[in-house]
Amino acid sequence: DLPRIYPHLLHMALNQHGLLVVPPGQQLFYSLDDSELQASEVPLSESIYRPVFAGPDFFVSATNHSLQVLNAAGMRVYQWKLSDLQARQWRVMPLQQADQFAIQGPDSVDIWRYAVPTG
C-alpha cells in the first residue's frame, strides 16, 4: 500500500527486485523480496515529468537537478548533478544490453553502463 492517496500522475519503474515510485516530494522503494518500504524525501521539482527507469538489477531516477542510480535493494550507488537545462529536457531509454541505458538530452545521447559497485 502507498502511504497516502496521490490525486495525480505517479511515475513508477518495476523490475524483479522491487518497485520505485516517485510521487511529488518523495521517492519510495518497495522491495519485492521482503515487502519493505524505503522512503526518502526529495526536494520538490518544478517539472511534473519525473523520469524513472528500471534495468534488471538497478533503477534510475531524476530528482530536481540530479540523476540517481539505485541498486536492486533501492540504495543509491551513484548520483550525478545535472544543469538546470538538462534536468528539464532529458529522458531515459533502454538499450539492447541489459546493463546499459541511454540519457537523451536536447543536444546529445549519452550511453551509461551500470556496474555493480565493489568494496
Side-chain angles (χ1 to χ4, degrees), residues 15-38:
N15 68 15
Q16 63 188 2
H17 301 285
L19 171 68
L20 180 65
V21 181
V22 187
Q26 284 187 312
Q27 181 168 285
L28 306 171
F29 179 79
Y30 292 91
S31 172
L32 297 181
D33 298 329
D34 56 14
S35 301
E36 185 176 313
L37 167 66
Q38 297 175 19

Side-chain angles (χ1 to χ4, degrees), residues 5-16:
I5 295 173
Y6 298 96
H8 39 67
L9 181 67
L10 292 177
H11 300 280
M12 299 182 205
L14 174 70
N15 68 15
Q16 63 188 2

Side-chain angles (χ1 to χ4, degrees), residues 70-91:
L70 310 174
N71 65 14
M75 304 301 294
R76 184 174 57 206
V77 291
Y78 302 112
Q79 181 173 350
W80 292 273
K81 294 290 183 192
L82 299 172
S83 72
D84 190 40
L85 181 63
Q86 286 176 314
R88 290 193 196 128
Q89 298 181 359
W90 65 277
R91 63 183 177 156

